[in-house]
């Protein structure tokens, strides 16, 4: 099998607001398919416009004296509906374009399934079920989503992330999750399948970006209800208007009433609202963040507290042994050899790094012939080896101290000083003991990811407080927190501590975002208002979160927050514009309806439109054209700049409110002049 020819990165390089010719043709075809009644009813505003189009056509055929005017009104209304459908279709087409690149990773894969005896059977990936174990070697594709049960390998995840640089995945760590369709570049791993056919990560991504599972957000639902209420109100007004006009001797043309209704109801925002919601999820994906719902994107715009797991999010997560610190009276070589022996059977990255460092320092210890290795457990917080009469242990300082005292040994006060010295430097101390004698401290260093401090500073400017959560001791946690630039930290945290902190912050009225990658982060990710799981993390974390960061960047929430705020601002700006430009259209339609019977109404014709028919058509044509004109803005979004709510409201009213009032005067007058020039 060959490398993937397409990936998400290619999709992200498409122009922000454009489609290729094929995408444009597909969007146009979809605009007509959306005329189906079930599709039309999803937008109450546009459903009324479509109904008005049908009534206008019937009136033109059956009763209209001016057939040309009736045809023009009907055609304009029909085009208005098509343009609204086109706005939604363009947004969906962009999502399908991104999904097409993901389909390149969904292929007819074959996996080597292992039975309980370790025998291999080659089966199609579609036959694999959750719980199955598969063997994947270098050069092969991972057949299904799962967790590495044994081994370590470098994997090309370009099909999902768009990045060509290989990543390391290893059993027993928070970077053990693998995705079906990605390619193993080195070594051999055993993967336990975690997804049923059709429910893989790629399958869900494809469905989401295509919009098949897109649900309206709470704000979108509220706005839809408002638009429906306004539409119903103006519908009642237009139905009762002929009876009121009868009292002053005015007979209203039904076509004019339909035109008035279409210009009164907020057709602009009604036509663009679905596109705005879809575009929000597409913009998140463009930032390489998979949002499982539009609600998650929108809520991200309002979060004010961010909780981050330290290992794998703030730091690279692979703590490496960097130094041995023997206690007074202990030879450095003695500490080094004991540390090596205690780590020979330790499968963790830390244990392997201790062996590697000891070998680099020329430790001459041979592998013991008869030894009993003791695995690490959460209860003892130690691991080690028993060789003959020797009992060598390494672990947390307090755990080793208890172990030594239980054997009748004495812990030197120097140990606390050594441990504190290592911890203050931001490293993790690991204490080694041989029997009832403490030998010294191993220094394990973790590296803070590049650029994290600057991004956290930007989050602080946006009013978001950052809290680091770690299982490290308070001294190590404080050093890492200072280096990373977070506002607060929680040390020696258990999964229930993370959950309790989130609930406490939510009870205080805060909206919480949580970033994590491990199985122990899953409860907190599920509880948070916005749960961002690292793509490199475990399957449990990715299932619990409502977003997945494909780049594994803990500060990615900065981009997520900006996308969320941009979606809120875009919807508010276009709603303001839509409602404002309706005001101007009244000055075109109302004089045209009443000027003949009530000459005093002619004073309202401030635009000096040529004729009543020209006024109506000009207003309807402008109403139709403004929808496609605003599609690029709906898809790209209004630029977000950190500012106070008052400043944002002022800018919204000046730019989109005042602009929404003035633009129709210019546009309708220009269309009227054009219609007059062609003799309409």
């Amino acid at each position: 099998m060959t490398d993937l020819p397409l990936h998400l990165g290619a999709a992200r390089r498409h122009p922000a607001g454009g489609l290729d010719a094929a995408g444009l043709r597909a969007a146009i075809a979809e605009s007509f398919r959306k005329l189906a009644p079930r599709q039309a009813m999803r937008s109450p505003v546009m459903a009324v416009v479509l109904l008005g189009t049908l009534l206008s056509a019937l009136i033109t055929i059956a009763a209209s004296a001016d057939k040309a005017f009736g045809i023009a009104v009907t055609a304009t209304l029909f085009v208005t509906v098509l343009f609204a459908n086109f706005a939604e279709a363009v947004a969906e087409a962009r999502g399908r374009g991104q999904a097409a690149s993901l389909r390149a990773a969904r292929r007819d894969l074959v996996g080597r399934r292992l039975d309980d005896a370790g025998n291999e059977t080659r089966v199609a990936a579609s036959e694999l079920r959750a719980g199955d174990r598969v063997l994947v070697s270098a050069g092969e594709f991972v057949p299904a989503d799962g967790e590495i049960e044994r081994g370590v390998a470098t994997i090309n995840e370009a099909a999902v992330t768009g990045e060509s640089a290989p990543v390391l995945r290893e059993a027993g760590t928070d970077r053990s999750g693998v995705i079906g369709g990605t390619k193993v570049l080195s070594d051999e791993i055993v993967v336990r399948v975690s997804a049923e056919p059709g429910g893989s990560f790629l399958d869900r991504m494809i469905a989401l970006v295509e919009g098949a599972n897109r649900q309206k957000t709470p704000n979108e639902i509220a706005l839809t209800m408002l638009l429906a209420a306004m539409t119903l109100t103006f519908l009642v007004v237009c139905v009762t208007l002929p009876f009121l006009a009868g009292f002053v001797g005015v007979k209203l043309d039904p076509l004019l009433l339909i035109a008035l209704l279409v210009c009164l109801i907020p057709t602009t925002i009604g036509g663009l609202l679905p596109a705005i919601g879809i575009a929000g999820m597409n913009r998140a994906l463009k930032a390489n963040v998979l949002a499982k719902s539009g609600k998650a994107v929108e809520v991200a715009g309002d979060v004010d507290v961010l909780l981050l797991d330290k290992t794998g999010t703030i730091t690279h997560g692979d703590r490496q042994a960097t130094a041995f610190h023997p206690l007074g009276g202990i030879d450095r070589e003695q500490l080094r050899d004991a540390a090596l022996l205690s780590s020979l059977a330790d499968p963790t990255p830390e244990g392997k790094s201790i062996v590697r460092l000891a070998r680099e320092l020329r430790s001459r210890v041979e592998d013991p012939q008869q030894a009993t290795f003791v695995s690490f457990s959460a209860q003892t917080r130690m691991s080690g080896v028993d060789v003959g009469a020797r009992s060598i242990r390494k672990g947390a300082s307090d755990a080793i101290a208890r172990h030594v005292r239980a054997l009748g040994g004495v812990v030197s006060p120097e140990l606390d000083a050594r441990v504190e010295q290592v911890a203050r430097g931001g490293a993790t101390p690991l204490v080694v003991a041989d029997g009832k004698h403490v030998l010294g401290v191993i220094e394990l260093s973790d590296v803070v990811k590049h650029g994290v401090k600057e991004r956290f500073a930007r989050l602080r400017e946006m009013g978001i407080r950052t809290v680091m959560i770690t299982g490290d001791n308070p001294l190590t946690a404080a050093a890492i927190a200072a280096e990373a630039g977070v506002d607060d930290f929680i040390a020696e945290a258990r999964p229930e501590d993370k959950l309790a902190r989130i609930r406490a912050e939510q009870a205080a009225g805060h909206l919480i975002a949580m970033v994590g990658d491990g199985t122990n982060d899953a409860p907190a990710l599920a509880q948070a208002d916005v749960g961002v799981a690292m793509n490199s993390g475990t399957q449990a974390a990715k299932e619990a979160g409502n977003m997945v960061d494909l780049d594994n960047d803990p500060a990615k929430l900065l981009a997520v927050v900006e996308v969320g705020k941009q979606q809120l601002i875009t919807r508010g700006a276009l709603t303001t514009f839509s409602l404002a430009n309706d005001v101007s259209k009244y000055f075109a339609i109302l004089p045209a309806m009443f000027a003949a019977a009530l000459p005093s109404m002619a004073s309202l014709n401030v635009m000096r439109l040529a004729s009543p028919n020209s006024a109506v058509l000009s207003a309807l044509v402008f109403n139709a054209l403004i929808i496609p004109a605003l599609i690029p803005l709906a898809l790209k979004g209004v630029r977000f700049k950190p500012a106070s709510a008052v400043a944002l409201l002022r800018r919204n009213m000046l730019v989109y409110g005042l602009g929404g009032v003035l633009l129709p005067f210019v546009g309708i007058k220009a269309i009227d002049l054009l219609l007059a020039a062609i003799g309409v």
Side-chain angles (χ1 to χ4, degrees), residues 8 95 98-99 102 159-161 179 200-211 285 288-291 535 548 550:
L8 190 56
Q98 291 171 321
L102 297 175
V160 176
T161 66
I179 299 172
S200 71
F201 186 73
L202 281 177
D203 287 320
R204 292 196 303 274
M205 284 182 71
I206 291 168
L208 286 164
V209 299
E210 285 184 327
L285 189 59
N288 238 8
V289 175
L290 170 66
N535 181 49
V548 178
L550 303 178

Side-chain angles (χ1 to χ4, degrees), residues 4-60:
L4 301 177
L6 293 173
H7 52 68
L8 190 56
R12 292 199 309 273
R13 287 191 289 271
H14 285 311
L19 289 175
D20 56 22
L24 189 61
R25 287 193 297 270
I28 292 172
E30 187 65 22
S31 301
F32 285 91
R33 283 193 287 269
K34 288 180 179 293
L35 293 173
R38 181 176 295 181
Q39 292 274 357
M41 289 304 295
R42 291 166 55 188
S43 173
V45 176
M46 300 319 298
V48 170
V49 179
L50 181 58
L51 180 61
T53 304
L54 297 175
L55 289 176
S56 177
L58 292 174
I59 293 170
T60 300

